Amino acid sequence: MQNLYWKWQFKSAPYWFIAPFVICFIIFVFLPFTYSVYLSFNEWHGQETKTFVGLANYVTLLKSGDFWQSIVNSVLIFVLYVPVMLALALIFAACLSATWMKWTGFFRTVFFIPNITSVVAISFVFLLIFNADQGILNQILMSLGLLDEPIRFLETPWWARVSVAILVIFRWTGYNMILLLGGIQGISKSLYEAAKVDGANGIQSFWHITLPLMRRLLAFCTILSTLGTFSLFTEPFILTGGGPNMATTTPVVLIYNESFKNLNMGYASTISIFFFILMMILSLVQLRLFRERD
């Protein structure tokens, strides 16, 4: 009897360990997602009875200029910040893994601090920096003679997107640097020693050894950045409020506006579901492209 008890404990132990995660996943992810799918086929404004409308919300979404504008905004912000951010992260990671680099722990901390600092606090600081009349950035550029009149960073569509991109670069470069640093430190030193014996300098070693071996990790960072770009909310919401003229309205900001400003819960759920499918397809395409290149 005791042997049966211990055998049951041994077999059931893994399920007890994963049970908290499964329960939390069902409560906080699966059930809300299922309810959103249900709401996406209904018209509901939060109080009255839900009205089943079939695919009407999806037809409205596909015809909506606001939704496609939010997708275009995300693509433009992605193009503005992801290449710059990954390039900076890779350069910083390569420098911090070099043998000649001193105070590596200090610099790792400095680069990573923006990522663990409250995004709300950082956004308000950048709100002051980009202020057209009293912002320090315009004052510096004008005092250096680079500008004759201040740039309306947050009041013109193009500069508003650039401002959001700069804020995202500042916040996420350190995070990606840490990921890439782990990858660089995993590369065998013997490869660099062999390249050095063959006469390769530091730049050639980086180009022909580090970069090819980091391709998979760069693909991972690119996919994370893609999902992060289309899911941007706090940065554009605080910095520009999604404006001007919806220039920085991302799909998540649009979902927020439809849900809590227009109280159009059914349509907001439709955007969420369509956005989820779109991101899943985009991630699969990116994985396929990077796999083919390998």
Side-chain angles (χ1 to χ4, degrees), residues 1-102:
M1 188 66 184
Q2 190 172 4
N3 287 337
L4 286 175
Y5 175 70
W6 283 110
K7 191 177 292 184
W8 176 82
Q9 276 195 325
F10 180 77
K11 288 185 176 179
S12 64
Y15 300 102
W16 287 110
F17 281 120
I18 65 171
F21 167 77
V22 173
I23 292 171
C24 290
F25 179 81
I26 291 173
I27 294 175
F28 295 109
V29 178
F30 181 74
L31 292 179
F33 178 78
T34 307
Y35 190 61
S36 293
V37 174
Y38 165 70
L39 281 182
S40 69
F41 296 104
N42 289 271
E43 184 179 353
W44 186 47
H45 298 280
Q47 292 182 346
E48 73 276 15
T49 307
K50 303 177 187 66
T51 305
F52 182 75
V53 293
L55 295 174
N57 284 333
Y58 287 91
V59 174
T60 304
L61 175 66
L62 293 175
K63 294 179 179 177
S64 170
D66 291 348
F67 175 71
W68 294 113
Q69 178 64 48
S70 70
I71 296 293
V72 170
N73 292 336
S74 297
V75 172
L76 291 174
I77 294 172
F78 175 87
V79 172
L80 284 172
Y81 91 88
V82 170
V84 176
M85 181 187 69
L86 291 183
L88 288 175
L90 188 59
I91 292 171
F92 292 154
C95 291
L96 290 178
S97 63
T99 53
W100 51 265
M101 190 70 190
K102 306 294 182 185

Side-chain angles (χ1 to χ4, degrees), residues 74 77 81 114-115 117-127 130 154 160 163-168 171-172 227-243 248-257 261:
S74 297
I77 294 172
Y81 91 88
N115 189 252
T117 305
S118 167
V119 60
V120 176
I122 294 176
S123 299
F124 274 111
V125 170
F126 273 77
L127 194 61
F130 289 131
L154 307 178
S163 302
V164 172
I166 293 173
L167 170 56
V168 177
R171 184 159 182 257
W172 288 100
L227 298 176
T229 304
F230 284 89
S231 305
L232 276 178
F233 175 74
T234 309
E235 293 91 339
F237 186 76
I238 293 178
L239 207 58
T240 61
T248 56
T249 297
T250 61
V252 178
V253 174
L254 185 64
I255 292 169
Y256 172 85
N257 290 336
K261 288 186 177 178

